[in-house]
Amino acid sequence: MKTQAKNYINGKWVPGTLGKIDMINPSYNTKAGEIARSGDQDVDKAVKAARNAFNRVWGKTDAANRGRILYKIANVLEEHLDELSELESADTGKPIKQARTDASLCARYFEFYAGAADKLHGDTIPFMDGYSVYTKRVPLGVTGHIIPWNYPLQMTGRTLAPALAAGNTAVFKPAEDACLAVVRVFELIHEAGFPPGVVNLVTGLGDEAGAALANHPGIDHMAFTGSPEVGKIVMKNSADHIRPVLLELGGKSPQVVFNDADIEAAMPVIVNAIIQNAGQTCSAGSRLVIQEDIHDDVVHELIKRFKKLKTGPADKNPDVGPIITKKQLERVEGFVQRAIDDGAEILAQGDKPDGEGFFFPPMLMGRVNNESFIAQNEVFGPVLTVIPFKDEADAIRIANDVEYGLIAAVWTKDVGKAHRVAEAIDAGQVYINGYGAGGGVELPFGGMKKSGFGREKGFEALYDVTAVKTVIVNHG
Ligand code: NAD
C-alpha cells in the first residue's frame, strides 16, 4: 500500500518544500516508501492553519460534537486495522501481531477521548458571602506534537486524541525513521471529516521540520516524546516562548522479583517486557532486580527461554523483529561490548537470522553491577541485565539508583511488601505482579526524574492540554 509523500495542511495534501525522504524496511533493508521532507515554511503554514481553525471553528465546537468526530475517526481506523498494521510492521520492523495491537490501540485512544470530551467538568468553589465561583477547563490553543519511531501508531492516538478532545487544534511531526502508517491515519482522518486545519501533519527530519515546530512562536503547548537530548532542546525552545511542555523521555525500568513471588507467572511477563518491539520501548523492563536466593534458579529458566526466542523479519511474525536502523543496531552492539568490558557476562542469546535485516537476537546479561554503564543507560534494544539484591531495602535502593523513573514492577505474594515497595519506588507507574510496557489507554502514564514530566493517557492527559479558568461572580 502506498501512502502520500506529502504533508496534510489545512485539509489538503501538499508537497514538502525540501523534497522527499526514503523510508527503509528494517527487516530487509529495502525501501518501504517515501515521506515529504519539510522545513520552516511548511511548519509555519501548518501552525497558521491550526490557529485559524482554533479561532474560527474548533475552539467553538461543542464538546459533544468534538467527541462525535473523534468517534468517527476511531471507527474508520478500526475498519482499516489490516492495512495499518501491515504498514506499521514494514516500516518499524515490529512483528505483525504487535503492529496489529498498536493499530487497535491507536483507534482505542480516539474512542476513549471521544467519550471523555464532554465529561471534562470544572468545579464550584465556596467563597465569600455574595459570590459564586466556578472553574472551567479551557483549551490552550494550538498544540505541537513530536513523536519518535518506536510506536508511531500508538503515539499518534495517545498524543493527538486528548488534545483534540479538549478543544485544541494540532500540528503533528512524526519521526523520519518510521511514520508511513501515521500518514495513512491522516488520510483516514481526512475521510472522517475534521474541519480543515484542526489537525495538520508535517513530516521530515528532526533538525529541519522538528526544530521548526519546536521553535515556532505560534505553538501554545508542546508535547515531545523522544530522547532526553532532544527533550532538553525542546524544553529550552518552550522556555523562550513561555509555554508549557510535556516531556516523555526514556526509562531504565526495574522488575523487582522477591523470593516469595509466583515465578512461573512472572517468567513470560519478564521476557516479554524486554523483547516487545525488540526492546525499543521507553518502558521496557530492562533491569531484572532479583533476590539472591532465587537468582540461580530464575536465571537458569530465563536462559532456556532466551535461547528459544526466534528473531526474524517482521512479516514472518517472529518473537523479535529487527532494530529500526543500522545505526541503532550498532549502538546496541556498542552497549553490549562496553558491558563486557565492565565485567558483565552474556548468559544467553538467541540465533541471528540470515538476511539484510538489522537483527539483534535478545540477550540475557549476568554479573551486572547497577553502577555500570549498561545498568544506568537506556540500550533501546532487547538486552536484559540481571542484578541481584539481598533484602527489601537493598531492592528499593537498586530500583531507584538510576536517573530515570518511568515504570517499575514488583513481584511478591506479600501484600504489605508489595505496597511498601510500590510506594518507595520513584516511577510514574508501578505494576504489582504484572507489567504493561506501553499499554493501558486508561492509565495515566509519564515520568519522574529524567524520564520527563506531564502525563499522557487516561483522563489525566486532558488536564495537561487545558488551563483552569476561575470565574468569580459578585452577586451585587
Ligand atoms: P529522538 O529524540 O532522536 O527523536 C524523537 C523525535 O524528535 C523525532 O520525531 C525527531 O525527528 C525529533 N527531533 C530530532 N531532533 C530534533 C530537534 N532538534 N528539534 C525538534 N525535534 C527533533 O528520539 P528517538 O531516538 O527517535 O527515540 C528514542 C527515544 O525516545 C528513547 O530515548 C526513548 O526512551 C524515548 N521514548 C520515550 C517514550 C515515553 O513515552 N517516555 C516513548 C517512546 C520513546
Side-chain angles (χ1 to χ4, degrees), residues 338-353:
R338 187 154 176 185
I340 293 167
D341 296 345
D342 285 346
E345 180 188 4
I346 298 175
L347 299 174
Q349 187 172 29
D351 295 329
K352 189 164 183 160

PDB file of all heavy atoms in Angstrom, residues 338-353:
ATOM      1  N   ARG A 338      30.629  -2.658  25.732  1.00  0.00           N
ATOM      2  CA  ARG A 338      31.046  -1.876  26.904  1.00  0.00           C
ATOM      3  C   ARG A 338      30.709  -2.620  28.198  1.00  0.00           C
ATOM      4  O   ARG A 338      31.478  -2.598  29.155  1.00  0.00           O
ATOM      5  CB  ARG A 338      30.333  -0.520  26.855  1.00  0.00           C
ATOM      6  CG  ARG A 338      30.816   0.396  27.921  1.00  0.00           C
ATOM      7  CD  ARG A 338      30.635   1.843  27.553  1.00  0.00           C
ATOM      8  NE  ARG A 338      31.050   2.657  28.700  1.00  0.00           N
ATOM      9  CZ  ARG A 338      30.936   3.947  28.760  1.00  0.00           C
ATOM     10  NH1 ARG A 338      30.434   4.598  27.726  1.00  0.00           N
ATOM     11  NH2 ARG A 338      31.321   4.613  29.822  1.00  0.00           N
ATOM     12  N   ALA A 339      29.539  -3.317  28.202  1.00  0.00           N
ATOM     13  CA  ALA A 339      29.143  -4.086  29.392  1.00  0.00           C
ATOM     14  C   ALA A 339      30.134  -5.222  29.645  1.00  0.00           C
ATOM     15  O   ALA A 339      30.523  -5.478  30.793  1.00  0.00           O
ATOM     16  CB  ALA A 339      27.736  -4.633  29.212  1.00  0.00           C
ATOM     17  N   ILE A 340      30.549  -5.883  28.555  1.00  0.00           N
ATOM     18  CA  ILE A 340      31.525  -6.981  28.698  1.00  0.00           C
ATOM     19  C   ILE A 340      32.840  -6.420  29.259  1.00  0.00           C
ATOM     20  O   ILE A 340      33.434  -6.987  30.168  1.00  0.00           O
ATOM     21  CB  ILE A 340      31.727  -7.700  27.345  1.00  0.00           C
ATOM     22  CG1 ILE A 340      30.432  -8.435  26.965  1.00  0.00           C
ATOM     23  CG2 ILE A 340      32.904  -8.667  27.390  1.00  0.00           C
ATOM     24  CD1 ILE A 340      30.369  -8.911  25.540  1.00  0.00           C
ATOM     25  N   ASP A 341      33.256  -5.280  28.717  1.00  0.00           N
ATOM     26  CA  ASP A 341      34.486  -4.638  29.216  1.00  0.00           C
ATOM     27  C   ASP A 341      34.362  -4.291  30.701  1.00  0.00           C
ATOM     28  O   ASP A 341      35.346  -4.281  31.430  1.00  0.00           O
ATOM     29  CB  ASP A 341      34.794  -3.356  28.424  1.00  0.00           C
ATOM     30  CG  ASP A 341      35.094  -3.656  26.960  1.00  0.00           C
ATOM     31  OD1 ASP A 341      35.338  -4.843  26.639  1.00  0.00           O
ATOM     32  OD2 ASP A 341      35.057  -2.715  26.135  1.00  0.00           O
ATOM     33  N   ASP A 342      33.121  -4.000  31.144  1.00  0.00           N
ATOM     34  CA  ASP A 342      32.883  -3.649  32.555  1.00  0.00           C
ATOM     35  C   ASP A 342      32.723  -4.892  33.439  1.00  0.00           C
ATOM     36  O   ASP A 342      32.394  -4.773  34.616  1.00  0.00           O
ATOM     37  CB  ASP A 342      31.594  -2.804  32.678  1.00  0.00           C
ATOM     38  CG  ASP A 342      31.797  -1.371  32.205  1.00  0.00           C
ATOM     39  OD1 ASP A 342      32.963  -0.967  32.042  1.00  0.00           O
ATOM     40  OD2 ASP A 342      30.790  -0.665  31.986  1.00  0.00           O
ATOM     41  N   GLY A 343      32.838  -6.111  32.862  1.00  0.00           N
ATOM     42  CA  GLY A 343      32.788  -7.336  33.663  1.00  0.00           C
ATOM     43  C   GLY A 343      31.493  -8.121  33.577  1.00  0.00           C
ATOM     44  O   GLY A 343      31.334  -9.123  34.270  1.00  0.00           O
ATOM     45  N   ALA A 344      30.534  -7.674  32.751  1.00  0.00           N
ATOM     46  CA  ALA A 344      29.276  -8.428  32.625  1.00  0.00           C
ATOM     47  C   ALA A 344      29.510  -9.671  31.763  1.00  0.00           C
ATOM     48  O   ALA A 344      30.500  -9.768  31.037  1.00  0.00           O
ATOM     49  CB  ALA A 344      28.199  -7.547  32.004  1.00  0.00           C
ATOM     50  N   GLU A 345      28.550 -10.585  31.864  1.00  0.00           N
ATOM     51  CA  GLU A 345      28.710 -11.866  31.173  1.00  0.00           C
ATOM     52  C   GLU A 345      27.461 -12.123  30.318  1.00  0.00           C
ATOM     53  O   GLU A 345      26.340 -11.882  30.779  1.00  0.00           O
ATOM     54  CB  GLU A 345      28.810 -12.949  32.262  1.00  0.00           C
ATOM     55  CG  GLU A 345      28.982 -14.335  31.771  1.00  0.00           C
ATOM     56  CD  GLU A 345      28.857 -15.340  32.935  1.00  0.00           C
ATOM     57  OE1 GLU A 345      28.574 -14.932  34.073  1.00  0.00           O
ATOM     58  OE2 GLU A 345      29.019 -16.525  32.672  1.00  0.00           O
ATOM     59  N   ILE A 346      27.668 -12.611  29.077  1.00  0.00           N
ATOM     60  CA  ILE A 346      26.499 -12.972  28.256  1.00  0.00           C
ATOM     61  C   ILE A 346      26.036 -14.349  28.709  1.00  0.00           C
ATOM     62  O   ILE A 346      26.779 -15.330  28.593  1.00  0.00           O
ATOM     63  CB  ILE A 346      26.851 -12.985  26.755  1.00  0.00           C
ATOM     64  CG1 ILE A 346      27.293 -11.599  26.300  1.00  0.00           C
ATOM     65  CG2 ILE A 346      25.643 -13.470  25.924  1.00  0.00           C
ATOM     66  CD1 ILE A 346      27.786 -11.516  24.877  1.00  0.00           C
ATOM     67  N   LEU A 347      24.807 -14.432  29.221  1.00  0.00           N
ATOM     68  CA  LEU A 347      24.284 -15.713  29.716  1.00  0.00           C
ATOM     69  C   LEU A 347      23.536 -16.467  28.624  1.00  0.00           C
ATOM     70  O   LEU A 347      23.517 -17.694  28.613  1.00  0.00           O
ATOM     71  CB  LEU A 347      23.337 -15.473  30.892  1.00  0.00           C
ATOM     72  CG  LEU A 347      23.950 -14.803  32.126  1.00  0.00           C
ATOM     73  CD1 LEU A 347      22.869 -14.502  33.152  1.00  0.00           C
ATOM     74  CD2 LEU A 347      25.015 -15.706  32.731  1.00  0.00           C
ATOM     75  N   ALA A 348      22.896 -15.742  27.740  1.00  0.00           N
ATOM     76  CA  ALA A 348      22.154 -16.402  26.652  1.00  0.00           C
ATOM     77  C   ALA A 348      21.848 -15.395  25.565  1.00  0.00           C
ATOM     78  O   ALA A 348      21.686 -14.207  25.826  1.00  0.00           O
ATOM     79  CB  ALA A 348      20.836 -16.970  27.183  1.00  0.00           C
ATOM     80  N   GLN A 349      21.760 -15.916  24.332  1.00  0.00           N
ATOM     81  CA  GLN A 349      21.281 -15.108  23.207  1.00  0.00           C
ATOM     82  C   GLN A 349      20.728 -16.070  22.167  1.00  0.00           C
ATOM     83  O   GLN A 349      21.311 -17.130  21.919  1.00  0.00           O
ATOM     84  CB  GLN A 349      22.407 -14.254  22.607  1.00  0.00           C
ATOM     85  CG  GLN A 349      21.883 -13.288  21.553  1.00  0.00           C
ATOM     86  CD  GLN A 349      22.914 -12.285  21.049  1.00  0.00           C
ATOM     87  OE1 GLN A 349      24.105 -12.573  21.033  1.00  0.00           O
ATOM     88  NE2 GLN A 349      22.445 -11.122  20.613  1.00  0.00           N
ATOM     89  N   GLY A 350      19.603 -15.682  21.558  1.00  0.00           N
ATOM     90  CA  GLY A 350      19.005 -16.499  20.504  1.00  0.00           C
ATOM     91  C   GLY A 350      19.860 -16.473  19.244  1.00  0.00           C
ATOM     92  O   GLY A 350      20.900 -15.809  19.188  1.00  0.00           O
ATOM     93  N   ASP A 351      19.412 -17.209  18.196  1.00  0.00           N
ATOM     94  CA  ASP A 351      20.183 -17.268  16.945  1.00  0.00           C
ATOM     95  C   ASP A 351      19.911 -16.053  16.080  1.00  0.00           C
ATOM     96  O   ASP A 351      18.778 -15.574  15.993  1.00  0.00           O
ATOM     97  CB  ASP A 351      19.788 -18.522  16.154  1.00  0.00           C
ATOM     98  CG  ASP A 351      20.176 -19.770  16.915  1.00  0.00           C
ATOM     99  OD1 ASP A 351      21.187 -19.708  17.650  1.00  0.00           O
ATOM    100  OD2 ASP A 351      19.449 -20.779  16.800  1.00  0.00           O
ATOM    101  N   LYS A 352      20.961 -15.607  15.381  1.00  0.00           N
ATOM    102  CA  LYS A 352      20.821 -14.475  14.460  1.00  0.00           C
ATOM    103  C   LYS A 352      20.365 -15.006  13.111  1.00  0.00           C
ATOM    104  O   LYS A 352      21.000 -15.907  12.547  1.00  0.00           O
ATOM    105  CB  LYS A 352      22.153 -13.745  14.341  1.00  0.00           C
ATOM    106  CG  LYS A 352      22.035 -12.447  13.591  1.00  0.00           C
ATOM    107  CD  LYS A 352      23.248 -11.557  13.807  1.00  0.00           C
ATOM    108  CE  LYS A 352      23.011 -10.239  13.074  1.00  0.00           C
ATOM    109  NZ  LYS A 352      23.804  -9.164  13.504  1.00  0.00           N
ATOM    110  N   PRO A 353      19.279 -14.481  12.547  1.00  0.00           N
ATOM    111  CA  PRO A 353      18.823 -14.976  11.244  1.00  0.00           C
ATOM    112  C   PRO A 353      19.715 -14.466  10.109  1.00  0.00           C
ATOM    113  O   PRO A 353      20.432 -13.486  10.275  1.00  0.00           O
ATOM    114  CB  PRO A 353      17.417 -14.390  11.127  1.00  0.00           C
ATOM    115  CG  PRO A 353      17.428 -13.188  11.983  1.00  0.00           C
ATOM    116  CD  PRO A 353      18.446 -13.393  13.064  1.00  0.00           C
TER     117      PRO A 353
END
